[in-house]
Amino acid sequence: MRTFRAVLAAAAVALLVLLAPPAPAWAHAKLVKSDPADGATVSAPLTAVTFTFNEPVKQQFSTVVVTGPDGVSYSDGTPKSVDKTLTQSVKPLPAGAIKVAWRTVSVDGHPIEGQLTFTNAAPAPTTAAPSSPPPATSAAPATASAATPTVGTGPASSDSGASGLLWVVLGVVAVALVLGGGAVWWRRSRTG
């Protein structure tokens, strides 16, 4: 009976180890906040759009596309990452609905993406638009749409549930094997 308890205790410990892996293996960067926030109305001219994550992201794999109501991209250069913040400089924005599509990669290599929309109610810029689209051609909109990444409405982390399920299944299988082996061993030791 004492051996059976030891096998049962070992199975319980194995289950805990399998179901509680170290936190970094499960962690992916998540967007904590953006400035401006999704749905916000901005009344002062913006020079940048900023994203704050719960952990650092990789700058070299980051893309931010800021598109005005005219379909033109107002992103100015490439996004810069410092600590947990990703910043995209923008050219003077026109009034109206501004769409922002972003994509980056967590330090663990997991890609995340999202989009937001805010309303620019700031006074019209006194300078010309960032680039005048050619009249009656589709070159400017095609360039803007080609640069726009395909994104969902929030961070894409669909595989985190699948990997969690995998750990549960592996844990149950391991416990079943340990208990089955312990039961067979216990029966053999009682009969032999």
Side-chain angles (χ1 to χ4, degrees):
M1 188 65 168
R2 187 168 45 146
T3 305
F4 181 71
R5 286 185 203 154
V7 169
L8 188 59
V13 169
L15 179 63
L16 287 174
V17 168
L18 287 173
L19 293 179
W26 292 61
H28 302 304
K30 293 191 183 344
L31 181 64
V32 175
K33 70 176 183 172
S34 65
D35 185 20
D38 188 25
T41 298
V42 177
S43 57
L46 282 178
T47 58
V49 177
T50 305
F51 303 92
T52 304
F53 297 90
N54 65 335
E55 64 181 48
V57 294
K58 296 182 177 183
Q59 178 174 318
Q60 68 270 28
F61 300 115
S62 297
T63 304
V64 179
V65 179
V66 180
T67 308
D70 53 2
V72 174
S73 174
Y74 287 84
S75 300
D76 190 11
T78 59
K80 305 289 186 252
S81 178
V82 177
D83 295 325
K84 299 176 183 179
T85 303
L86 183 66
T87 303
Q88 173 64 59
S89 296
V90 295
K91 298 171 185 172
L93 297 171
I98 307 297
K99 295 180 183 175
V100 181
W102 59 270
R103 180 176 171 85
T104 191
V105 175
S106 300
V107 291
D108 68 352
H110 182 79
I112 56 174
E113 58 188 20
Q115 62 185 8
L116 62 93
T117 303
F118 66 91
T119 302
N120 183 32
T126 56
T127 59
S131 63
S132 302
T137 65
S138 62
T143 302
S145 64
T148 305
T150 304
V151 295
T153 57
S157 59
S158 59
D159 68 330
S160 63
S163 64
L165 180 62
L166 176 66
W167 281 109
V168 170
V169 170
L170 288 175
V172 169
V173 168
V175 169
L177 289 174
V178 169
L179 289 176
V184 168
W185 179 79
W186 183 65
R187 285 185 184 170
R188 285 186 180 173
S189 66
R190 288 190 76 194
T191 58

